[in-house]
Amino acid sequence: MSFSQVANYSSIEEASKDVLELISKFVDVNTFFVAKNDKKNVDIIQSFNREDAVLEAGFKTYYRDSY
């Protein structure tokens, strides 16, 4: 695979939107996300919801409550 442009990102938060948009072209699911997980907390950095909004960016929960 060859790319004509290389994007420069200063953070995972900035890059995650483009990554999820690209993945959405190949993965036929409603929702997927990029999250930070430190085994205590889960912080959703960015999410992709194709039709139904199941999970939104900015959602936070305890690790023990995530599944």
Side-chain angles (χ1 to χ4, degrees):
M1 182 184 302
S2 175
F3 295 103
S4 59
Q5 291 183 322
V6 176
N8 292 312
Y9 301 104
S10 59
S11 68
I12 187 71
E13 291 84 0
E14 188 180 327
S16 61
K17 186 172 183 174
D18 285 348
V19 169
L20 293 180
E21 183 179 327
L22 178 63
I23 292 170
S24 73
K25 295 176 182 179
F26 302 98
V27 178
D28 188 25
V29 298
N30 185 69
T31 301
F32 51 96
F33 57 91
V34 174
K36 291 190 275 187
N37 172 350
D38 64 6
K39 302 293 184 186
K40 293 180 183 177
N41 300 297
V42 177
D43 301 331
I44 305 302
I45 296 169
Q46 189 62 254
S47 66
F48 173 87
N49 295 284
R50 190 175 307 280
E51 294 176 16
D52 299 324
V54 176
L55 190 60
E56 296 293 336
F59 178 79
K60 297 180 182 200
T61 191
Y62 292 114
Y63 176 76
R64 69 173 185 258
D65 296 336
S66 66
Y67 54 92

